[in-house]
Amino acid sequence: MLFKDLPIQKKLMGVIILISGIVLLVTCAAFFTYEVFTFRQTTTRQLSTLGEIIATNSTAALVFDDQKNANEILAALKAERHITLAGLYNKEGKLFAQYPAATLPGAFPPLPGKEGYRFENSYLLGFQPVTQGGKHLGTLYLKSDMNAMYERLWLYSGITVLVIIVSFLLAYVLSKALQKRISIPILSLAETAKAISDRQDYSVRATKLSNDELGALTDALNQMLTQIQKQNLEITSFNQQLEQKVTERTNELQLANKELESFTYSVSHDLRAPLRGINSYTKILEEDYVDKLDNDGKKIIEVILRSSKRMGELIDDLLAFSRLGRKEVTRNDIHMDALVKGVTDDFMLISVKNNIEINIQPLLPAVGDQALVKQVWVNLISNAIKYAGKKTKTLIEIGSYPKENRNVYYVKDNGVGFDMKYYAKLFGVFQRLHSNEEFEGTGVGLAITHRIIQKHHGEVWAESKLNEGATFYFSLQTI
Amino acid sequence: MDTHAIEILIVEDSMDDANLTIRSLKKNNIANNLYHVKDGAEALDFIFAQGNYSSRSKSANPKLILLDLKMPKVNGVEVLEKIKGNPATKTIPVVILTSSQEDPDIKRCYELGANSYVTKPVEFEGFVKAVKELGFYWMILNKAL
């Protein structure tokens, strides 16, 4: 596991133990160095003092060439256990006396070396001149081992290890106690954050346990929560305002719709009444005064009757169209085959033409308002029959095909068709591409068709060429 | 005019429409004893023999009432409500004559007990036919209570 992935508790402990370990080691190393340095100095001083004393005592033995006495003097070094070798050279530089007595002369340097003391291969050795009254009598050689120092160093090492172990234990216990003070506030903060995100409750606040960085973090978190709470409140209030606005607008719309309804009623009622007067009284005029009218008068009466009748039809169609706008569309499965068969059978029954051939392909079922979709078929098929033209036979083809998760239905005829440059007017209310003399009509049928299909979220379109027939398409949702 | 033996009461604010109705009923020999009142207030006076009609016998109810809906003062719905709400008059058949199928009051009329309703067509032939048929049905076929 990487250090960064460790829990904070372990990180803290690791850091504390590492730092205390380094500090201890550095301290011990310094102590060791100091110890070695002082020990060497002390040993050198002691050895040089000893050398001076022995040199002073040996002057007589050298002057009188008393080898026995010299050996005796050196043998006194027995008391100094660290002295391993001692030798006395006469003024000619020849070994004169030695300690221990049994040592081979080869162990000594053949000639006295330079005056002074130095460390060599973990031994301290030195040459001390023996003089009397400024006269050089000989040289004393001393060699001392460093065992005492090594013993001390071993002891120190043991103590150091012990201290390190005790320190580590102390560090561990202390860091355990300390880390609680740091990790507990962090853990409590984390728990609070988790509780908030789990329950989506922004009214929860973290408890501040200290005034340090963690305390600042707690304060910041709480401040953030307050802000979130405030913003949530604002959002809710905005939502409510929006909903209220929607309600208001809906009410306004409903009112407008109601006004439109009453307007429609007024139009139908108030326009029809005078129209009825015109039509009816003209008819009475015709019935009661026909013998008093000449041919021109009779023709005028016919025009009045025809016009008022047409206006009545226009008003009725307009009403039918506006009624459609307010109608709720139901959604049921429609079996197109049966529906279209019923419509075409009715047409064949009432049609005065007998040269009509309707070819119905198997039709896909769809979802929609059966009564309204039937109206679409009635409008399209009646148009196909009406705009047949002067062809000897009226051929009508009805079919369907699926297209992009919708079903497309079509009615194709071989009638007069229309010029595509007037296509934009085709589905408009009261828009006609033929005169009333050519083909009777008010121009509402296709507008109603368009509106019905629009209410079903479908599309309606057409293709045609003048005098080459027309095809009308509409699409509905599949089952 | 003898207001005691009225067969059909026509309640219609438009003189023109009333005359058309009277003409077609008479021409088709459906009823000869017709009476026309020009608004709802007068209709109520006539039916309940009050006001100007206080001399009329209360028991001599008309056999049929043709009632227009849109009228000044008291409208057709109010008249209908009064007729159907009174035990003495509630058995009189009432046919609503309206100019439009869009009339929002049609449903209310049925709830109040109207016997049928007829949309007055714009065309004269249609109008005559409608009046003739309703007169024929209510005056000759339908045996009044």
Side-chain angles (χ1 to χ4, degrees), chain A residues 22-283:
Chain A
I22 289 172
V23 167
L24 263 174
L25 281 175
V26 168
T27 312
C28 287
F31 186 64
F32 257 67
T33 314
Y34 172 76
E35 205 45 48
V36 169
F37 182 72
T38 22
F39 190 85
R40 282 184 165 201
Q41 264 190 334
T42 314
T43 319
T44 311
R45 205 168 49 241
Q46 280 175 351
L47 196 64
S48 95
T49 309
L50 188 66
E52 269 169 34
I53 292 167
I54 293 173
T56 309
N57 288 340
S58 320
T59 44
L62 281 171
V63 169
F64 299 107
D65 202 16
D66 184 352
Q67 202 166 16
K68 193 175 164 244
N69 187 22
N71 278 327
E72 272 168 10
I73 290 169
L74 289 184
L77 285 171
K78 210 178 169 184
E80 303 288 337
R81 279 178 50 214
H82 56 95
I83 302 292
T84 54
L85 273 180
L88 193 62
Y89 297 86
N90 57 20
K91 63 179 174 202
E92 282 82 28
K94 270 185 81 177
L95 193 62
F96 176 68
Q98 65 172 57
Y99 164 84
T103 314
L104 290 173
F108 292 91
L111 283 171
K114 205 176 154 227
E115 184 194 334
Y117 294 87
R118 63 183 184 276
F119 289 95
E120 218 179 85
N121 303 326
S122 67
Y123 287 96
L124 176 63
L125 44 93
F127 295 93
Q128 171 81 42
V130 184
T131 53
Q132 194 181 36
K135 198 177 163 204
H136 181 75
L137 299 174
T139 305
L140 176 69
Y141 170 71
L142 283 174
K143 189 178 180 183
S144 159
D145 64 24
M146 304 289 285
N147 286 345
M149 188 179 86
Y150 292 133
E151 274 164 25
R152 259 167 93 168
L153 286 182
W154 271 115
L155 185 65
Y156 286 158
S157 297
I159 289 168
T160 304
V161 169
L162 208 68
V163 165
I164 284 176
I165 288 169
V166 169
S167 305
F168 272 22
L169 278 173
L170 267 174
Y172 178 78
V173 171
L174 271 174
S175 70
K176 257 240 144 112
L178 267 176
Q179 49 129 330
K180 269 189 190 155
R181 298 204 164 200
I182 294 168
S183 62
I184 282 175
I186 292 177
L187 288 177
S188 120
L189 213 58
E191 265 165 36
T192 310
K194 193 168 163 12
I196 290 160
S197 65
D198 281 356
R199 283 183 290 162
Q200 305 278 309
D201 180 3
Y202 298 105
S203 61
V204 173
R205 291 289 176 273
T207 321
K208 193 175 171 181
L209 296 170
S210 55
N211 274 321
D212 55 4
E213 290 90 335
L214 285 174
L217 186 62
T218 310
D219 280 343
L221 180 75
N222 286 342
Q223 220 171 345
M224 201 170 75
L225 286 171
T226 310
Q227 264 176 7
I228 290 175
Q229 224 180 347
K230 199 175 136 213
Q231 281 170 357
N232 274 354
L233 220 69
E234 275 172 13
I235 291 169
T236 316
S237 117
F238 275 140
N239 247 343
Q240 276 168 352
Q241 278 176 16
L242 214 63
E243 264 168 37
Q244 203 186 335
K245 261 188 188 158
V246 169
T247 314
E248 275 169 25
R249 292 280 187 282
T250 312
N251 287 343
E252 279 169 22
L253 259 170
Q254 276 170 344
L255 199 72
N257 230 358
K258 251 195 173 150
E259 275 172 12
L260 195 72
E261 235 169 276
S262 82
F263 171 75
T264 310
Y265 170 61
S266 300
V267 166
S268 80
H269 185 276
D270 298 353
L271 288 187
R272 281 167 66 105
L275 203 58
R276 190 165 48 247
I278 294 168
N279 185 289
S280 302
Y281 284 94
T282 311
K283 194 71 193 171

Side-chain angles (χ1 to χ4, degrees), chain A residues 261 264-266 268-270 272-273 275-277 279-281 283-284 286-288 305 308-309 312 315-316 319-320 322-323 326, chain B residues 12-20 23 27 68-70 98-105 119-125 127-128:
Chain A
E261 235 169 276
T264 310
Y265 170 61
S266 300
S268 80
H269 185 276
D270 298 353
R272 281 167 66 105
L275 203 58
R276 190 165 48 247
N279 185 289
S280 302
Y281 284 94
K283 194 71 193 171
I284 291 169
E286 194 189 34
E287 280 178 7
D288 292 3
L305 286 174
S308 55
K309 185 185 169 203
I315 291 170
D316 286 348
L319 284 175
S322 81
R323 201 163 41 232
R326 299 191 302 273
Chain B
E12 171 69 80
D13 64 321
S14 155
M15 255 340 264
D16 296 343
D17 278 2
N19 284 335
L20 285 176
R23 183 188 158 99
K27 267 210 154 183
D68 189 22
L69 285 183
K70 211 180 169 195
T98 168
S99 272
S100 137
Q101 294 173 31
E102 293 287 309
D103 204 315
D105 292 327
T119 311
K120 294 185 263 186
V122 165
E123 261 187 297
F124 183 63
E125 279 98 345
F127 187 78
V128 170

Side-chain angles (χ1 to χ4, degrees), chain A residues 399-430:
Chain A
S400 66
Y401 56 89
K403 187 191 173 191
E404 291 163 11
N405 67 49
R406 277 174 193 277
N407 289 337
V408 176
Y409 301 88
Y410 64 89
V411 177
K412 185 176 162 59
D413 65 51
N414 64 338
V416 295
F418 60 88
D419 193 334
M420 285 300 271
K421 77 176 165 190
Y422 302 117
Y423 184 81
K425 290 186 169 182
L426 197 62
F427 296 101
V429 189
F430 293 137

